[in-house]
Amino acid sequence: MSQPATWTVPEHVPEDRVVDFDFMHPPGAESDVHAAWKALHRGPDIVWSPYNGGHWIATRAEDIETIQKDNLRFSHARVTIPRSDDVTLVPLELDPPEHTAYRTLITPSFLPQAIASMESDVRALTIELIEGFKNKGECEFVGEFAKMLPIVIFLRLVDLPQEDRLHLLEMAELSVRGDLEERQRSQGMLMGYIGKWVQERASNPGNDLISLIVNAKIDGQPISPERMFGMMIVVLFGGLDTVAAMMSFICRFLAEHPAERRRLAEEPELILTAVDELIRRHGVTNTARVVVEDIEFKGVQLKKGDQIQVPNALFGLDERRFANPMEIDLARKPVVHAAFGNGAHRCPGSFLARTEIKVFLQEWLKRIPEFEIKAGEQPRCASGMVNGMLYLPLQWKVA
């Protein structure tokens, strides 16, 4: 292992825990980002990456679950790497009990009964998008479908103009896969965009999520501008890229595995139970926690202020938790994954995400049951705070 001149390793980090692994650019990520992360399972359970300011990485499901649930030792105070002190992402970067009041504010909008009323809209849009390119015999799945479905549904949820979707997608991409400078630029762009809507919803509130946040009170007091903006980042970006990424990884799997694809197409009732297995295999988020005080954990000394990354993808790829984790078993039960987090911070939008993926599978396989990667083309992936599929060209025969 060669050591770049930019590496700095703190004294409390044992030499045998240092890995040459930059999570923004792991070797092989462009072709298979999950296999690139899976390579960490060849080493110790807890490792140190000297890149991006230096941080620990928990690689095993048991430790990822422990850290996600233990806010007393592992705080959410800074979930991004490299750490940024500009904006607090609310409620994501708050710990209980402060976290609870802000989460309670937005949770009702994402409860199963609320999402059930939206499912017909999700289905109608899914069909519209598919029918728009079905007769062409090809599409670029990420741009023509995966990114379009969640953002159009979400813009309806927050009552923002549909024509703004490409601008918001650009900001979301910078936010989840950009470096520190790009993330800060994304936040500045969003601040400029959302400011007018905050003022408008304060004067003319509706039934949308932005109106709810703008006019809410926490402990009897209006939400501060800083906290309000932090909530807007989480609300606007939280469900866009993650759902698009999961959907794209799942679609690539089906394009490359005709037996499983045909089984789902021929037995559509399997989709309801297979969704979580497909999500388990294709986890996308790589958030971090902050060590609250000096502790010993899994044989290493963690110092107060250290960041430790908990990649949800590695939870689902751990053979200690799942037999043959790199394989998809459509009949696997139970599938208790961590793709949406665990504990108090479990993603409130998880039911909406599952609904969008379920409907996509139902309607796509009904209309395009046979498809493959376009001849002569290669899909492209990327790693970052959110693993993503950048390019997924598909083709099929038109009847």
Side-chain angles (χ1 to χ4, degrees):
M1 181 170 62
S2 61
Q3 181 168 325
T6 54
W7 277 18
T8 56
V9 179
E11 291 184 0
H12 68 284
V13 177
E15 185 176 335
D16 64 352
R17 299 296 178 125
V18 180
V19 293
D20 189 356
F21 185 87
D22 176 1
F23 85 95
M24 297 292 290
H25 307 286
E30 184 172 285
S31 59
D32 190 338
V33 68
H34 292 90
W37 277 90
K38 175 68 176 169
L40 288 174
H41 282 162
R42 295 198 292 264
D45 293 358
I46 307 291
V47 296
W48 173 272
S49 167
Y51 294 90
N52 303 297
H55 59 94
W56 298 100
I57 306 173
T59 71
R60 293 294 181 172
E62 178 184 15
D63 301 324
I64 291 169
E65 184 173 10
T66 295
I67 294 166
Q68 285 181 337
K69 292 181 175 180
D70 187 355
N71 63 276
L72 296 180
R73 292 187 297 169
F74 303 98
S75 170
H76 277 71
R78 277 292 170 260
V79 300
T80 56
I81 296 176
R83 68 175 70 208
S84 168
D85 297 323
D86 291 348
V87 177
T88 298
L89 303 176
V90 179
L92 186 58
E93 292 185 327
L94 301 179
D95 293 310
E98 187 180 20
H99 160 268
T100 307
Y102 288 92
R103 181 186 173 92
T104 301
L105 175 63
I106 61 175
T107 295
S109 299
F110 297 99
L111 290 175
Q113 55 266 37
I115 300 307
S117 67
M118 295 176 58
E119 184 168 331
S120 60
D121 286 345
V122 174
R123 195 171 300 279
L125 177 59
T126 299
I127 294 170
E128 178 185 330
L129 289 171
I130 296 170
E131 292 293 342
F133 50 66
K134 176 185 171 184
N135 291 331
K136 291 196 306 179
E138 64 178 64
C139 77
E140 195 290 293
F141 184 82
V142 179
E144 294 186 64
F145 185 86
K147 289 192 172 184
M148 289 298 103
L149 177 62
I151 195 167
V152 170
I153 293 299
F154 194 77
L155 287 174
R156 293 177 185 174
L157 191 63
V158 295
D159 193 21
L160 289 175
Q162 291 292 333
E163 56 266 29
D164 292 350
R165 63 184 183 272
L166 296 181
H167 185 43
L168 284 166
L169 284 172
E170 177 189 2
M171 288 187 266
E173 180 71 19
L174 289 173
S175 177
V176 300
R177 272 186 292 279
D179 56 24
L180 180 58
E181 182 180 338
E182 288 170 325
R183 291 208 313 263
Q184 290 172 334
R185 180 154 61 92
S186 169
Q187 291 173 1
M189 292 166 65
L190 180 62
M191 189 176 294
Y193 172 82
I194 204 67
K196 64 177 182 179
W197 295 110
V198 169
Q199 294 178 354
E200 194 268 339
R201 303 291 162 84
S203 302
N204 301 291
N207 297 320
D208 59 281
L209 200 50
I210 293 178
S211 293
L212 179 67
I213 294 169
V214 168
N215 296 285
K217 291 186 177 181
I218 301 292
D219 297 328
Q221 299 297 318
I223 301 175
S224 70
E226 294 78 16
R227 287 287 171 89
M228 188 182 299
F229 180 63
M231 288 195 81
M232 296 297 180
I233 293 178
V234 172
V235 165
L236 290 175
F237 291 167
L240 298 185
D241 201 76
T242 51
V243 179
M246 281 184 182
M247 215 177 289
S248 298
F249 285 126
I250 290 169
C251 187
R252 178 186 182 176
F253 170 81
L254 294 176
E256 295 177 337
H257 294 81
E260 285 84 353
R261 183 185 71 242
R262 287 166 186 156
R263 186 178 177 192
L264 285 178
E266 293 165 5
E267 304 174 54
E269 65 278 6
L270 267 181
I271 291 173
L272 296 177
T273 55
V275 165
D276 278 309
E277 168 69 351
L278 291 163
I279 292 173
R280 185 274 308 168
R281 172 60 178 80
H282 300 103
V284 296
T285 60
N286 303 308
T287 57
R289 308 292 181 265
V290 179
V291 179
V292 173
E293 59 187 10
D294 292 3
I295 58 171
E296 181 179 338
F297 185 76
K298 292 296 292 281
V300 294
Q301 296 295 322
L302 307 182
K303 293 292 186 181
K304 179 180 180 179
D306 284 355
Q307 281 189 291
I308 183 164
Q309 196 169 35
V310 283
N312 285 346
L314 287 185
F315 184 105
L317 300 181
D318 189 353
E319 63 275 2
R320 298 178 191 172
R321 183 64 63 98
F322 301 97
N324 302 313
M326 298 297 281
E327 303 297 322
I328 292 287
D329 179 358
L330 295 177
R332 191 192 300 266
K333 292 183 180 64
V335 184
V336 183
H337 56 71
F340 299 114
N342 279 305
H345 281 79
R346 178 177 167 81
C347 174
S350 61
F351 190 80
L352 175 58
R354 291 181 78 258
T355 297
E356 290 176 323
I357 293 169
K358 175 196 72 175
V359 171
F360 146 63
L361 290 170
Q362 290 172 335
E363 301 302 335
W364 182 285
L365 292 174
K366 194 184 300 181
R367 289 164 175 78
I368 311 176
E370 291 293 321
F371 61 98
E372 60 187 357
I373 304 299
K374 188 174 181 180
E377 298 273 14
Q378 291 292 328
R380 293 198 307 273
C381 315
S383 184
M385 292 307 303
V386 177
N387 297 332
M389 181 70 66
L390 302 181
Y391 181 64
L392 183 57
L394 303 176
Q395 67 181 18
W396 55 88
K397 292 180 180 179
V398 178

